[in-house]
Amino acid sequence: MIKYIIRRLLQTIPVLIGVSILVFSLMFLIPGDPAQVMAGEGASQQTIDNIREKLGLNDPAYVQYGRFLNNAIQGDLGKSIRSGRPVMDEIKIRFWTTVELSIYSTILAVFLGLIAGIISAVRHYTFTDIAIMIIALFGLSMPNFWLGLMLIQWFALGNLPFGDMPPWLLEIIHMRPSGWGESWRQMILPVITLGTGGAAIIARMTRSSMLEVIEQDYIRTARAKGVSERIVIYRHALKNALIPVVTVIGLEFGAFLGGAVLTETIFAINGMGRLTIDAIRQRDFPIVQGTVLVISLLFVLVNLLVDISYKFLNKRIDLN
């Protein structure tokens, strides 16, 4: 297991280098001059040239990338062009906000997706199954930004299409507490926005995987022996059907980290997604590169945890 983890961690190095090259290259394709942004409108050309020289923007692209990569290996992602603060400090302020949003969204997606998928598989080809799959299809089809705007319109603004909002629900939605333990209240609408699509994907995968397992001989044998249907479904079928579902959950968590960009912008959440959008608008290249690298690293580590979990779900899987 340890050798496998070390090998996988070493494999992340070329992945992160590839991501850094891609992001670094894309930054040169974005129109605009960061030195001009820093100098402000009406600045003289001499001032702009001095800023470019100070930031090393006049160096060839490969020299700039080599300098960036060398510093990144040492944990230095540079300084923000806009604020002048270290990029790592800017990320640390917003890091846990985005991770918290992604974790809550994953929990919601797994909870709803597993329940819906199991019910749909157990009652396959019935009205319940068809209804759940239609709802899941709508969940997959709705863009996050549209759903977020609708939730704001209906709940945050109180304009429900089916009547007035109950006072207790209005109180919860408008609460703005601080702290890790209580901040879930202000995350309700963003989590629903981000987790709905993931729940739909998990539900469809759970149904498909469960149907495949339910048709296996050992399930029929367990039923023939008189084992209760609950034990057959939850102890025998679900455990063996979870491997592809866990894979999807890991991918969805990574998608939530990336999807937080739009969700944080819509709900004015001060996370890494919003930081990335603001940096792109202001041509703050070091911030964009730093946030993308951190999100990529998280995504790779989550995939590693998913692969390790296979061993606990099925002892016969050989990770070596």
Side-chain angles (χ1 to χ4, degrees):
M1 177 70 74
I2 296 178
K3 291 182 179 179
Y4 174 78
I5 294 175
I6 294 175
R7 185 170 69 250
R8 284 296 306 272
L9 289 175
L10 292 177
Q11 291 174 354
T12 64
I13 296 177
V15 173
L16 294 178
I17 292 177
V19 171
S20 66
I21 292 175
L22 180 61
V23 174
F24 192 85
S25 302
L26 291 176
M27 288 299 96
F28 284 92
L29 300 178
I30 298 177
D33 186 355
Q36 177 70 59
V37 174
M38 290 187 64
E41 296 183 4
S44 65
Q45 186 61 41
Q46 181 63 37
T47 302
I48 296 175
D49 292 340
N50 291 338
I51 294 176
R52 289 186 60 84
E53 185 65 29
K54 180 181 178 180
L55 296 176
L57 298 177
N58 292 327
D59 295 334
Y62 66 89
V63 174
Q64 296 184 47
Y65 174 74
R67 183 167 55 241
F68 163 75
L69 186 61
N70 180 63
N71 293 334
I73 294 175
Q74 303 175 45
D76 180 12
L77 297 178
K79 292 185 177 181
S80 169
I81 294 176
R82 173 176 50 87
S83 65
R85 299 179 58 188
V87 172
M88 286 302 299
D89 291 347
E90 295 279 2
I91 292 177
K92 287 176 182 178
I93 297 174
R94 300 164 176 85
F95 176 80
W96 287 113
T97 301
T98 298
V99 172
E100 182 182 8
L101 175 60
S102 300
I103 290 175
Y104 288 162
S105 300
T106 302
I107 293 174
L108 176 66
V110 171
F111 178 75
L112 295 179
L114 282 179
I115 292 178
I118 293 172
I119 294 175
S120 183
V122 172
R123 302 184 180 180
H124 56 285
Y125 307 129
T126 64
F127 175 79
T128 302
D129 178 26
I130 296 174
I132 291 176
M133 287 300 100
I134 290 177
I135 295 174
L137 181 61
F138 276 109
L140 286 172
S141 304
M142 284 189 300
N144 285 342
F145 67 87
W146 181 85
L147 179 59
L149 292 174
M150 291 300 99
L151 291 176
I152 292 174
Q153 175 72 18
W154 294 340
F155 293 97
L157 301 181
N159 299 324
L160 290 176
F162 43 81
D164 295 333
M165 184 185 301
W168 62 268
L169 181 58
L170 184 63
E171 181 181 355
I172 291 178
I173 294 298
H174 286 285
M175 287 184 70
R176 290 294 182 269
S178 60
W180 177 273
E182 297 179 347
S183 60
W184 65 269
R185 295 180 184 271
Q186 67 181 4
M187 289 287 187
I188 291 177
L189 295 183
V191 164
I192 294 175
T193 300
L194 200 56
T196 302
I201 294 175
I202 292 173
R204 292 172 65 90
M205 177 57 69
T206 302
R207 177 186 182 274
S208 176
S209 184
M210 283 287 292
L211 286 177
E212 183 178 349
V213 172
I214 287 175
E215 299 298 327
Q216 298 295 321
D217 292 337
Y218 69 90
I219 296 296
R220 287 194 290 267
T221 302
R223 285 172 172 165
K225 289 181 177 180
V227 179
S228 67
E229 187 67 15
R230 181 179 297 272
I231 294 178
V232 169
I233 295 298
Y234 291 99
R235 181 176 297 180
H236 298 288
L238 181 59
K239 183 177 181 180
N240 291 290
L242 275 181
I243 290 181
V245 177
V246 169
T247 302
V248 171
I249 292 173
L251 294 175
E252 284 304 304
F253 182 78
F256 291 154
L257 290 171
V261 173
L262 287 177
T263 304
E264 290 177 358
T265 303
I266 292 172
F267 289 95
I269 299 174
N270 196 23
M272 288 177 56
R274 190 178 179 190
L275 175 65
T276 305
I277 291 294
D278 292 341
I280 292 175
R281 291 172 178 170
Q282 298 168 353
R283 307 298 186 269
D284 198 340
F285 297 165
I287 290 289
V288 177
Q289 294 164 353
T291 53
V292 172
L293 280 179
V294 170
I295 291 176
S296 301
L297 179 60
L298 283 176
F299 187 80
V300 170
L301 292 178
V302 168
N303 283 332
L304 174 60
L305 291 177
V306 169
D307 290 345
I308 294 175
S309 68
Y310 294 161
K311 187 67 175 179
F312 297 96
L313 293 174
N314 191 335
K315 301 295 184 180
R316 295 173 297 177
I317 295 179
D318 185 10
L319 294 179
N320 296 321

